[in-house]
Amino acid sequence: MHHGIGYPVYNQFLWWFDESVQRMDLEKLRDNLSDGLLARRVVASTVPGARDRWVASNVSHSLDFYPHFIESTDVLAWADGRLDRDIDPETGLGWRLAAAPLANGGTVLSLVASHMVADGGALIAAFVAANFPSEQPRSVATADGTAAIGSDLRDAVEQVRSVAGWLVNAAASALPIPTRSGSDAAVPRSQPTRSQPKAEAVDANWVSPHAVAEVDADAWKATARRWGGTSNSLFIAVLTAASGQAGRASIGDSVQWSLPVSDRTADDTRSNATKIVKIEVPVTDAADRDLSTIRTTSKAAFTAFASRQAAGLPPAGISQALVQMLPDAVVARVPQPRDGAEGLASNLGVLPEFFTTVAGIRARAVSGRATFAGADAAFARSLDGGLTAWVCETGTSVTVTVHAMDPDRFVDDQALRDHLVEALGRWELTARFW
């Protein structure tokens, strides 16, 4: 995940505090994080076929405390600068805590980790444990010597068994079934009708546009209720509207969104515990603000996913066990799969108090995102995706954080913000952009 696809994937949370957080409190927080879930290093397996495994890391980056005040308009540029190649799970330096004072008062805080080290749920769990005085930090269990070899042998057997099962299922699915009626056959998704991009190329200077729209939490929740939805269905509706306005789909089309679902448990030490559920959302005109269809569709998809999980059925798509057996050099040369999704819509929900408050100071808003660091226009086109987005809720604010992965229709940050402003305005919402 970190090296295999050519560009490292980083998760980042940003906290915006209207009051100043003292450096000594942040140093203590960093020290606590160093003793918890993020303190892990990946090591190569000793047995062919087994996955690389985690061991505890006894090294970590020091607190990156920016020595100068930054303007509020420069927060996202400062945040982008925290995505550094020296954050690497193979060295044990897989995360970094950083902070900067704001020129108009307050502090911005950043926590970055390789996605391999922690998904969004793992980052939240690690931060809460480090920030909660009575919480016992959970760390990675380390096996060495014969115990490590035994662990690798067991994992290799499970991986081979998983790949074999996937191959059998894939072969069975490919066989014609004479008794299957035509109405039961899978119908391929139609490709949304997209506008033609402008003739001028933007490849040389293009980087994935990034926007954070901060909306009043009470207004957001009241709007969702008014139009028969939830925070999640409003979030998906806004993204669908923005994609339609950008020309990635036309009225009457449907677009598919990937919705991450966490199966993380209370004492979970896994770095990644996220699965994907997909839904189809119709693209409608601006007069249609009803959210009930998205709400119903999402509920049905989550219910079906839970049923598959309970039945022990494997997820659709290529075997992850097979991918994990391949060397990074091979994975990097394999074209990234186009799964047909318009993008990712990750709802992190209402964040816990010990995540939004540091040293007694509550953040006005928190933004979360994942991003391909350094990805260029050619890579973005190879994914054929539109928007990837995250929503976070605090007591006072809802942040919609968006990356655009279409260099032809989202040429820069301003274009992305313009489409988000229009999409939010459809539901009579306004936003403060970071």
Side-chain angles (χ1 to χ4, degrees):
M1 181 179 289
H2 192 78
H3 296 295
I5 57 178
Y7 296 96
V9 183
Y10 294 110
N11 284 331
Q12 182 179 44
F13 279 104
L14 290 174
W15 291 255
W16 192 308
F17 298 94
D18 285 334
E19 299 177 54
S20 296
V21 181
Q22 297 301 307
R23 180 168 184 166
M24 64 179 182
D25 292 316
L26 297 176
E27 292 281 7
K28 180 179 179 181
L29 178 60
R30 189 217 73 91
D31 291 346
N32 291 345
L33 285 167
S34 299
D35 293 330
L37 281 174
L38 303 184
R40 58 176 75 210
R41 177 172 60 88
V42 67
V43 297
S45 63
T46 56
V47 177
R51 292 171 294 180
D52 292 347
R53 54 189 162 80
W54 293 111
V55 297
S57 173
N58 59 3
V59 295
S60 58
H61 285 294
S62 59
L63 174 69
D64 176 9
F65 196 89
Y66 198 66
H68 308 293
F69 289 97
I70 63 172
E71 299 293 335
S72 58
T73 52
D74 294 330
V75 165
L76 292 192
W78 174 84
D80 288 341
R82 302 315 101 195
L83 306 179
D84 199 299
R85 293 280 179 150
D86 65 358
I87 299 174
D88 190 332
E90 292 184 5
T91 64
L93 300 169
W95 61 278
R96 177 184 277 121
L97 188 70
L102 295 168
N104 58 351
T107 301
V108 60
L109 179 67
S110 162
L111 177 61
V112 176
S114 163
H115 202 321
M116 186 176 180
V117 168
D119 60 12
L123 272 177
I124 292 172
F127 191 94
V128 168
N131 197 34
F132 192 6
S134 61
E135 183 83 2
Q136 291 297 317
R138 297 194 302 274
S139 57
V140 180
T142 298
D144 52 22
T146 56
I149 295 174
S151 174
D152 288 348
L153 280 170
R154 289 189 296 273
D155 190 68
V157 170
E158 288 301 316
Q159 291 293 94
V160 170
R161 183 178 297 165
S162 176
V163 172
W166 175 78
L167 289 171
V168 169
N169 289 335
S173 299
L175 292 174
I177 303 177
T179 58
R180 178 180 293 175
S181 66
S183 60
D184 291 334
V187 178
R189 295 181 64 247
S190 59
Q191 180 71 24
T193 305
R194 294 180 182 161
S195 67
Q196 292 300 312
K198 295 180 181 179
E200 63 267 20
V202 298
D203 297 41
N205 299 318
W206 188 84
V207 294
S208 176
H210 175 204
V212 179
E214 182 185 336
V215 182
D216 177 79
D218 289 338
W220 178 270
K221 288 182 280 191
T223 297
R225 289 192 300 268
R226 177 184 178 187
W227 297 106
T230 61
S231 176
N232 195 52
S233 50
L234 177 57
F235 171 48
I236 296 167
V238 167
L239 296 180
T240 303
S243 279
Q245 289 155 198
R248 285 191 54 83
S250 301
I251 294 172
D253 290 337
S254 289
V255 294
Q256 187 180 83
W257 293 101
S258 296
L259 312 181
V261 178
S262 176
D263 61 2
R264 186 172 298 281
T265 59
D267 297 322
D268 213 324
T269 60
R270 286 178 294 172
S271 59
N272 281 261
T274 302
K275 307 294 189 296
I276 295 295
V277 171
K278 293 186 178 181
I279 63 167
E280 296 278 340
V281 179
V283 179
T284 60
D285 62 42
D288 183 2
R289 292 183 278 185
D290 179 58
L291 302 174
S292 61
T293 298
I294 298 176
R295 182 177 187 174
T296 301
T297 301
S298 300
K299 184 177 181 179
F302 292 139
T303 300
F305 171 80
S307 297
R308 287 183 60 87
Q309 288 281 93
L313 297 174
I318 190 170
S319 165
Q320 292 301 305
L322 177 59
V323 173
Q324 288 164 343
M325 287 182 179
L326 300 174
D328 286 348
V330 173
V331 176
R333 290 179 176 274
V334 176
Q336 293 304 302
R338 297 187 177 194
D339 63 1
E342 175 63 13
L344 183 82
S346 181
N347 187 347
L348 296 171
V350 179
L351 299 171
E353 180 181 356
F354 279 102
F355 190 77
T356 60
T357 303
V358 175
I361 301 173
R362 186 183 297 257
R364 187 191 73 219
V366 179
S367 163
R369 65 164 172 163
T371 183
F372 292 100
D376 59 14
F379 179 78
R381 288 194 188 96
S382 75
L383 299 179
D384 195 33
L387 301 175
T388 57
W390 300 261
V391 65
C392 298
E393 297 184 42
T394 65
T396 57
S397 300
V398 171
T399 58
V400 179
T401 304
V402 186
H403 268 283
M405 294 299 287
D406 183 340
D408 301 305
R409 295 172 187 83
F410 296 99
V411 296
D412 55 25
D413 290 351
Q414 188 60 54
L416 175 59
R417 284 195 297 268
D418 289 345
H419 289 307
L420 287 175
V421 166
E422 189 173 351
L424 289 165
R426 178 167 166 175
W427 284 272
E428 301 174 14
L429 292 168
T430 58
R432 169 181 182 172
F433 281 86
W434 290 18

